Amino acid sequence: MRQPQQDRSRATRQRLLESAIEALAELGWAGSTVAVVAERAGVSRGAAQHHFPTREDLFAAAVEYVGDARRSWTREHSADLPSGPERTRAVVDLIVRLYTGPLFRAALHLWVAATSDEQLRASVVTLEAHLGREQHKLALELLGVDESVPGVRETVQATLDMARGLGLANLLTDDGKRRAGIIDRWAEILDATLNVRT
């Protein structure tokens, strides 16, 4: 039985977005052409351009897709977070894992490309601002803290910034052992700081 056209179109779009992210993570911006993405997705270049007329359109949509994937991944994994004293460490670890996987690697390649491409920069800056706000809100929720309490906003933002830095450090070599110690210490600091403030 044949799939309806609308379902086939959605499936093609999904394969293109997934292939774009994989290509970015593995090949970087220079190697991630529409032709490469189309081949990885198993569609023609024309079919890819039907969904995304330009390379910038494809990768701007891929950024949004990454955001959606990161949100879904975080929601899925946050359901398993413990309660009690070990929760803060588990939340910090979860946040750091967001920044050490292939989705972050792909986003980073896109950010670098956006520094020299005005059209891409406009899309990436807008989407990243939105994602940043959502990640901050989610971190507040997972930590169970109130942003209106003085210092909480900055402390949670520092956690996100630290996680991003650990993700960058992990790009060239596996930084897992050092990262685990940092996560442990940051969770202690975060717990002490947030407990004082809440």
Side-chain angles (χ1 to χ4, degrees), residues 3 6-16 18:
Q3 227 181 355
Q6 190 175 21
D7 290 346
R8 287 194 313 271
S9 181
R10 268 196 296 271
T12 299
R13 180 181 170 82
Q14 171 98 11
R15 284 196 319 273
L16 285 165
E18 289 171 355

Side-chain angles (χ1 to χ4, degrees), residues 13-87:
R13 180 181 170 82
Q14 171 98 11
R15 284 196 319 273
L16 285 165
L17 293 172
E18 289 171 355
S19 297
I21 297 308
E22 289 168 5
L24 269 175
E26 293 170 23
L27 307 171
W29 178 252
S32 299
T33 64
V34 173
V36 165
V37 171
E39 182 179 327
R40 284 174 169 245
V43 302
S44 69
R45 183 183 166 109
Q49 289 180 314
H50 168 76
H51 288 276
F52 305 102
T54 68
R55 181 181 189 205
E56 289 75 15
D57 292 336
L58 172 61
F59 287 101
V63 170
E64 236 177 292
Y65 180 78
V66 166
D68 291 342
R70 283 164 62 175
R71 279 189 297 278
S72 296
W73 183 90
T74 305
R75 291 282 180 208
E76 179 183 322
H77 288 83
S78 66
D80 299 328
L81 290 172
S83 57
E86 60 277 346
R87 183 172 179 90

Side-chain angles (χ1 to χ4, degrees), residues 103 110 168 184:
L103 293 175
L110 204 53
L168 288 171
D184 288 342

Side-chain angles (χ1 to χ4, degrees), residues 83-105:
S83 57
E86 60 277 346
R87 183 172 179 90
T88 301
R89 202 249 181 236
V91 170
V92 172
D93 182 63
L94 179 71
I95 292 168
V96 169
R97 284 189 288 145
L98 271 174
Y99 290 99
T100 54
L103 293 175
F104 176 71
R105 184 180 295 264

